[in-house]
Amino acid sequence: MLNVDMIEYYFSLYYKLPNARRRVLKYRKEFYRNQTLHSYFTYSESRWMVRGFRQDVQVVNLLDTLLAMERYIEIMEFKQKHFRLFLRSLNRKDRHLLHKKHCHKRELPDTENLRNVEKLCFSEIQEIEEAACFRFKFYEMPGFLMEAAEILDIEDEDFPESFSENFAAMLEVLGVGSE
């Protein structure tokens, strides 16, 4: 099934990346501009209190946020790089069709060529997403692959005895019934 929103997201990476980089710089500036690194007096709850800069909390929060933002940027750069490589591999006419429809949001006639190019584009986006999952280690191994990994490696002398047992386990993992 074709996901037009994903295609448009990939075309919008060109604009999202600079905005994300500006947000990192702005967050840093705002942190130092809005913080006093010294203690100060404040009136709260009908009494005067001394407040101070909590380095153990504030700096850790700053670094966590900056690291998360940098990781987000790195992931977007990875996706944009591979999407650009894909677009360069298309012929000029197909690239122009995709750009016109998904970047400029123009209505185009529904042609066989446009549908094929969109399917190809979405297929490439799915591959990029999967590669990003593996590259940035937020991919979860599907259950059927985990079960397959549990099939034991057998020594050569034990192989004949356990072949039928392991073969049946493999067929079960693949969802094929043994006869």
Side-chain angles (χ1 to χ4, degrees):
M1 180 173 192
L2 185 66
N3 188 337
V4 176
D5 293 336
M6 281 298 288
I7 296 173
E8 289 176 0
Y9 167 77
Y10 270 78
F11 273 103
S12 72
L13 286 175
Y14 178 78
Y15 304 104
K16 288 181 182 283
L17 268 167
N19 290 340
R21 289 184 186 113
R22 278 192 294 274
R23 279 195 310 271
V24 168
L25 294 174
K26 184 179 177 183
Y27 186 77
R28 272 192 187 136
K29 281 183 184 178
E30 291 295 318
F31 177 80
Y32 288 109
R33 190 173 67 168
N34 293 330
Q35 294 293 334
T36 177
L37 302 179
H38 303 286
S39 61
Y40 58 93
F41 285 101
T42 184
Y43 190 76
S44 173
E45 301 172 8
S46 303
R47 63 187 174 132
W48 283 98
M49 299 171 57
V50 176
R51 296 273 185 200
F53 178 73
R54 299 269 325 256
Q55 294 130 353
D56 59 333
V57 174
Q58 300 291 340
V59 174
V60 169
N61 288 342
L62 170 70
L63 292 177
D64 284 345
T65 303
L66 290 175
L67 287 173
M69 292 170 95
E70 291 294 334
R71 182 170 168 83
Y72 174 71
I73 290 171
E74 185 181 2
I75 291 168
M76 284 198 317
E77 286 173 340
F78 176 84
K79 290 177 180 182
Q80 184 185 36
K81 172 188 166 190
H82 291 284
F83 188 64
R84 280 186 174 174
L85 289 172
F86 164 72
L87 288 177
R88 284 189 208 134
S89 72
L90 294 175
N91 65 44
R92 190 173 190 210
K93 183 181 174 187
D94 292 342
R95 185 173 48 241
H96 186 67
L97 277 174
L98 282 173
H99 193 68
K100 200 186 286 187
K101 180 171 182 184
H102 297 288
C103 191
H104 296 294
K105 311 245 189 300
R106 293 190 185 146
E107 288 294 322
L108 298 176
D110 189 27
T111 63
E112 182 80 23
N113 185 36
L114 179 61
R115 277 182 271 147
N116 289 338
V117 171
E118 283 183 320
K119 285 179 187 174
L120 180 65
C121 182
F122 185 65
S123 174
E124 183 67 24
I125 286 172
Q126 287 175 319
E127 288 184 24
I128 293 170
E129 287 292 317
E130 186 176 355
C133 287
F134 280 111
R135 166 77 170 80
F136 296 101
K137 296 179 179 46
F138 50 85
Y139 177 77
E140 287 186 29
M141 188 182 293
F144 69 90
L145 288 179
M146 292 173 80
E147 292 169 9
E150 292 172 1
I151 296 175
L152 300 174
D153 292 334
I154 304 299
E155 297 293 325
D156 287 342
E157 61 269 2
D158 297 330
F159 182 77
E161 300 152 6
S162 63
F163 176 77
S164 61
E165 182 181 316
N166 284 329
F167 189 70
M170 183 177 65
L171 288 175
E172 185 179 320
V173 165
L174 295 174
V176 179
S178 60
E179 296 178 19

